[in-house]
Amino acid sequence: MKSNTLKSSSPSVKMSALLSQMTLEEKIGQLQQSAYFSTVVTGHVVDHSGTIEAIKAGRVGSVLSVHDERDLKMLQKTAVEESRLGIPLLFMFDVIHGYKTAFPINLALSNSWDPDLVERVSRGVAYETSHAGLHVTFSPMVDLVRDPRWGRVMESNGEDPYLSSLLTQAYVKGYQQDDLAQPHAIAACVKHFAGYGFAEAGREYNTVDVSERTLRSVVFPPFQAGIDAGVRMVMTAFNVINDRPATANRWLLNDVLRDEMGFQGVIISDYTSTEEIIQHKVATDTKDVAYQCFEAGLDHEMVSQTFQHHLKELIAEGKISEETLNERVLRILTLKEQLGLFDNPYRNFYEDSAQYMLLETTKALAQEAVEKTVVMLKNDDALPLKPKQTVGLFGPFIESQDVIGEWAALCEKSDVITLKQAFDQAKHPYVLLDETTLDTRSRELDTIIVALGEAGSEAGEGNSKAKLRLSASQEALVKKAHQTGKNIVLVVFAGRPLILTELEPFADAILYAYQPGTMSGAGLYRLLSGQVSPSGRLTLTFPYHEGQIPVYYNHLNTGRPFDHARPEYRYNSRFIDIPNEPLYPFGFGLTYGQFEYSDVFLSKDHLREDDTVKVYVTLKNHGSHGALETVQLYIEAQSFSVSRPVNELKAFKQVYLDAGEEKTTVFTLTNAMFKAFNIDMAWTTEQRSYFVKVGPHSGALIARTVQLT
Ligand code: NOJ
């Protein structure tokens, strides 16, 4: 059976028949993921040396991180030909922003505010991944993030639940392509359920303590979006959430994920996160772990083997039921069936998969992604570069290929096009500068491009960081370059927002590139040279100082909000040594156009339940370059039964305007946009007055009022 409906996971007759032939050991085997070929051990060491024998005995359901074609074939052949029932294995891998062609890291991709781009990128990723013989990617990571100290913000869609939900759907559609049995589709896995992005102090694996309202309002929506798009897998989070580890949290996995959110696919634990509930002090031994995680609703155990070792005994003792086990097994079998593995267990095994990697079309897509994701944070007429004007190239990242970021699967730094290479390819004249030649060789120049950043290994899993400034030596380079009196164009590569407060005055222009991947230099060159205007918009607030963290746009107001008219007034919510405002707010990003917003008006000043209201805004590009503008619409409840954020993003539109062009953009307000979880935790509107705000970013909005009636 080839399933077209990814939302339904009802087991087929064939799978039910297969289940009826399975022994208890074989059933339990389907719940096990082995890490036999994993070269990177990211948690407890678990002995998987017996994997081949276990596969023959039907005691392995899937294998993690295998990517050598010969290994894949050997493992699948063993399962199909040497196990009693010949059930094929699932192969899963972390393909997060590219398999062989590195696309910009996910946080950068979110800066595009472009679900269509993200869907096409995911298709490109799935194309390479499926040709490598893999079936499931552990992506997208949809954890809502507010803390750039956390190294994994690089994998996220940023801090806004609405935008993240749109992008989550795009990832799922791009990977799964409506029918998993299609040759180039792979199953997606939304992770980490739930709350991982709220780890206290941004410290990896740390405790999460957030209100149910925050969970429902901002943490769950992207997961729900993934489920609505038909995602086949959900991964549990490592963390404790409100005192229960997520992996053993029945409320979370059963009541919320299954019953409320309607998820029917496979719930997989994270790497040894089952066993870790002993460290979380809620279980005493591995049998207890197996019992609690199974009871909570877990289907598939990654790396650790507590199900393997204890489920049989727990069933014999009557503590868990075989019926429940059967349901879990059927979910795994159904996924295998949907992927077409019972029709062809060797799908997508090629003699030479290399010919499908790094194709020109894939690289062109990766370059387009760079062009649409870099954010211009400042530009005092230093960019774009004048045609063929000789520029100085300075700083450690001019020639660095360390810009693919973490979780780069099999992408190689050696494939990266650096900034210098891009200038070479474009035959754009430049002078390569170092500290000793900076003064003398730059005399004839107008502009110096200073490329700085953090190493790829400073972000990603296990890389929380408390100090978010660039190294002192790199900051010194900018100051030195500034002393030459030339235009300084700063290009920053990083896996997270860094604190640029001290550097900002020394730069005339700043391009924030995050980690753009294989086509880094090529895309950046087109932006620097003005062939394309920057259009990326921040999806994660850039703090002014680490001491502000968490600082995010959709916060509540406080009873004593900061008053700009009385900044020194002591008894308002403020810091005495730094401002409240971040350096760059959510949604911020400049273009080579100069946009003016005017004539913002609503078609009506009230909105009935079954009605709509139009919001008009006129945009004029006063600049001398055409550019893409992302017009953003936020709402603010003037009152509600619970406190609501000062701004909530509800819609946005991307509009291209030629130089001098004027256009009117129209949004449609519906009742649903004003809903929130009320005092009784019901998702509803309240008939009150709301601000509707439009503008280029969350810090520059024009407000109008609408009354819900
Ligand atoms: C741990 C990470 O938290 C998770 O995101 C990843 O998918 C697994 N390891 C597998 O590598």
Side-chain angles (χ1 to χ4, degrees):
M1 184 202 80
K2 289 193 169 51
S3 167
N4 285 320
T5 146
L6 288 172
K7 283 183 193 161
S8 150
S9 284
S10 314
S12 67
V13 174
K14 191 171 153 189
M15 290 305 105
S16 302
L18 177 58
L19 181 79
S20 67
Q21 295 173 49
M22 293 170 79
T23 63
L24 193 55
E25 287 79 3
E26 286 165 340
K27 289 178 187 174
I28 295 168
Q30 287 302 308
L31 274 48
Q32 175 69 51
Q33 175 160 87
S34 162
Y36 186 51
F37 279 103
S38 272
T39 40
V40 190
V41 177
T42 61
H44 301 173
V45 178
V46 180
D47 181 12
H48 284 284
S49 58
T51 293
I52 301 292
E53 287 315 308
I55 291 173
K56 288 182 188 166
R59 285 194 286 106
V60 178
S62 75
V63 190
L64 173 71
S65 302
V66 196
H67 40 75
D68 186 294
E69 285 160 34
R70 283 155 307 183
D71 295 336
L72 286 165
K73 278 179 208 158
M74 180 274 289
L75 291 171
Q76 197 66 305
K77 206 163 179 293
T78 307
V80 172
E81 294 181 10
E82 298 188 51
S83 72
R84 193 177 73 89
L85 293 170
I87 301 174
L89 297 164
L90 283 170
F91 297 122
M92 310 193 195
F93 196 37
D94 290 283
V95 187
I96 308 300
H97 54 100
Y99 182 76
K100 199 74 175 131
T101 308
F103 290 87
I105 58 170
N106 310 82
L107 182 56
L109 281 173
S110 70
N111 289 339
S112 69
W113 293 52
D114 186 346
D116 172 66
L117 175 75
V118 169
E119 184 175 337
R120 286 186 292 122
V121 165
S122 312
R123 274 182 181 261
V125 172
Y127 182 84
E128 290 188 348
T129 309
S130 61
H131 278 94
L134 300 168
H135 309 132
V136 182
T137 178
F138 294 128
S139 172
M141 185 191 96
V142 306
D143 293 314
L144 220 284
V145 296
R146 291 176 170 176
D147 193 331
R149 291 172 297 186
W150 191 43
R152 302 195 75 169
V153 296
M154 59 147 299
E155 292 171 68
S156 78
N157 294 328
E159 73 192 37
D160 180 68
Y162 170 71
L163 180 59
S164 179
S165 298
L166 293 180
L167 299 181
T168 299
Q169 294 203 319
Y171 276 109
V172 173
K173 281 191 209 156
Y175 291 138
Q176 301 195 158
Q177 298 161 33
D178 296 326
D179 181 356
L180 285 182
Q182 285 183 49
H184 306 147
I186 53 177
C189 170
V190 289
K191 65 187 188 186
H192 306 82
F193 201 65
Y196 192 14
F198 282 69
E200 284 179 357
R203 179 157 57 77
E204 187 62 290
Y205 314 126
N206 205 4
T207 307
V208 173
D209 200 346
V210 282
S211 70
E212 185 178 340
R213 186 175 308 282
T214 299
L215 285 176
R216 292 187 181 281
S217 307
V218 303
V219 175
F220 293 163
F223 288 94
Q224 184 71 64
I227 293 166
D228 293 344
V231 75
R232 296 314 314 140
M233 192 175 277
V234 172
M235 189 186 294
T236 65
F238 280 124
N239 48 276
V240 155
I241 178 152
N242 301 346
D243 305 330
R244 272 300 284 177
T247 306
N249 194 319
R250 189 170 166 84
W251 173 75
L252 199 59
L253 305 187
N254 189 69
D255 303 3
V256 174
L257 187 57
R258 292 271 185 233
D259 293 349
E260 289 184 32
M261 298 173 91
F263 180 60
Q264 298 179 24
V266 173
I267 304 178
I268 187 170
S269 52
D270 203 348
Y271 200 109
T272 62
S273 68
T274 48
E275 256 180 65
E276 291 170 25
I277 73 166
I278 296 176
Q279 293 294 343
H280 286 307
K281 308 287 177 190
V282 304
T284 45
D285 54 31
T286 53
K287 184 174 171 189
D288 195 11
V289 170
Y291 172 70
Q292 292 195 40
C293 294
F294 189 87
E295 274 300 282
L298 190 71
D299 298 312
H300 204 59
E301 185 172 7
M302 186 190 292
V303 180
S304 35
Q305 299 169 329
T306 67
F307 282 5
Q308 188 70 239
H309 293 150
H310 303 292
L311 287 193
K312 193 174 172 189
E313 194 184 339
L314 287 164
I315 289 174
E317 290 169 6
K319 296 222 169 85
I320 62 173
S321 78
E322 192 165 351
E323 285 67 46
T324 312
L325 174 66
N326 289 348
E327 285 170 21
R328 310 272 162 96
V329 176
L330 276 173
R331 287 196 192 108
I332 317 278
L333 295 179
T334 299
L335 178 55
K336 293 182 177 185
E337 187 181 42
Q338 287 175 330
L339 281 157
L341 290 174
F342 287 100
D343 296 332
N344 178 13
Y346 304 105
R347 62 169 276 178
N348 297 333
F349 285 171
Y350 294 87
E351 282 311 312
D352 179 16
S353 60
Q355 60 183 302
Y356 302 102
M357 307 297 161
L358 286 162
L359 298 183
E360 287 309 315
T361 45
T362 315
K363 288 198 285 184
L365 180 59
Q367 179 173 328
E368 180 191 339
V370 180
E371 292 167 12
K372 290 183 170 167
T373 55
V374 171
V375 183
M376 186 157 71
L377 297 174
K378 180 173 183 181
N379 188 19
D380 288 346
D381 284 334
L383 287 175
L385 302 173
K386 296 188 188 70
K388 301 295 168 195
Q389 170 200 63
T390 305
V391 292
L393 299 183
F394 183 52
F397 277 74
I398 287 291
E399 292 188 77
S400 173
Q401 292 181 309
D402 186 10
V403 294
I404 59 175
E406 284 290 283
W407 294 114
L410 265 62
C411 304
E412 285 171 58
K413 290 180 188 162
S414 56
D415 288 320
V416 167
I417 298 179
T418 64
L419 268 173
K420 177 176 170 295
Q421 285 166 347
F423 275 80
D424 285 331
Q425 281 171 10
K427 300 200 170 37
H428 193 123
Y430 64 83
V431 181
L432 212 50
L433 301 168
D434 61 30
E435 281 186 80
T436 57
T437 57
L438 182 66
D439 289 332
T440 48
R441 297 190 68 188
S442 65
R443 281 191 193 127
E444 305 301 310
L445 306 174
D446 236 33
T447 301
I448 301 174
I449 297 174
V450 187
L452 307 174
E454 59 175 11
S457 57
E458 288 180 76
E461 186 181 349
N463 291 319
S464 295
K465 216 165 131 170
K467 298 175 191 156
L468 299 184
R469 281 170 61 167
L470 283 163
S471 65
S473 59
Q474 291 202 55
E475 288 199 350
L477 292 182
V478 185
K479 292 178 186 166
K480 228 171 176 167
H482 175 75
Q483 277 165 13
T484 62
K486 309 295 172 183
N487 278 329
I488 301 302
V489 175
L490 198 59
V491 181
V492 184
F493 298 90
R496 55 162 65 78
L498 294 173
I499 310 281
L500 302 178
T501 311
E502 290 244 337
L503 281 190
E504 192 268 348
F506 297 95
D508 300 283
I510 304 175
L511 288 183
Y512 209 82
Y514 281 120
Q515 285 148 336
T518 307
M519 301 305 285
S520 171
L524 276 162
Y525 179 75
R526 300 232 316 149
L527 295 168
L528 289 163
S529 61
Q531 293 169 60
V532 188
S533 168
S535 60
R537 297 298 173 102
L538 297 179
T539 58
L540 193 50
T541 299
F542 270 49
Y544 178 95
H545 187 279
E546 290 95 334
Q548 291 178 324
I549 297 171
V551 54
Y552 51 96
Y553 90 92
N554 48 356
H555 57 85
L556 306 186
N557 200 35
T558 85
R560 296 179 176 198
F562 181 72
D563 182 358
H564 288 273
R566 286 195 302 167
E568 298 303 328
Y569 180 61
R570 178 172 170 182
Y571 299 103
N572 276 344
S573 178
R574 60 171 196 140
F575 298 102
I576 58 171
D577 52 354
I578 53 170
N580 280 15
E581 269 75 36
L583 187 60
Y584 302 111
F586 174 84
F588 181 77
L590 302 171
T591 69
Y592 292 148
Q594 291 291 333
F595 290 94
E596 184 198 359
Y597 284 64
S598 64
D599 299 330
V600 176
F601 65 93
L602 309 187
S603 58
K604 275 180 276 186
D605 60 6
H606 59 277
L607 175 59
R608 282 201 321 271
E609 198 176 339
D610 52 354
D611 205 4
T612 58
V613 169
K614 301 268 185 230
V615 183
Y616 297 89
V617 52
T618 301
L619 275 185
K620 175 144 189 176
N621 182 357
H622 290 287
S624 49
H625 292 80
L628 186 75
E629 176 72 356
T630 301
V631 187
Q632 301 164 33
L633 183 144
Y634 299 80
I635 65 150
E636 180 187 2
Q638 294 188 25
S639 68
F640 205 75
S641 56
V642 293
S643 289
R644 284 180 66 173
V646 294
N647 283 315
E648 299 172 42
L649 181 72
K650 292 293 166 183
F652 60 89
K653 286 206 168 150
Q654 298 197 307
V655 191
Y656 187 89
L657 264 74
D658 282 326
E661 201 182 350
E662 183 175 296
K663 272 186 191 163
T664 298
T665 299
V666 187
F667 292 95
T668 304
L669 299 178
T670 63
N671 220 269
M673 287 174 163
F674 296 85
K675 288 189 174 175
F677 289 99
N678 71 3
I679 186 92
D680 301 319
M681 210 59 100
W683 179 243
T684 183
T685 52
E686 290 180 5
Q687 295 188 345
R688 297 174 186 258
S689 189
Y690 297 80
F691 290 122
V692 173
K693 308 180 190 178
V694 181
H697 60 82
S698 64
L701 299 170
I702 303 170
R704 299 288 178 263
T705 303
V706 70
Q707 173 75 37
L708 259 61
T709 55

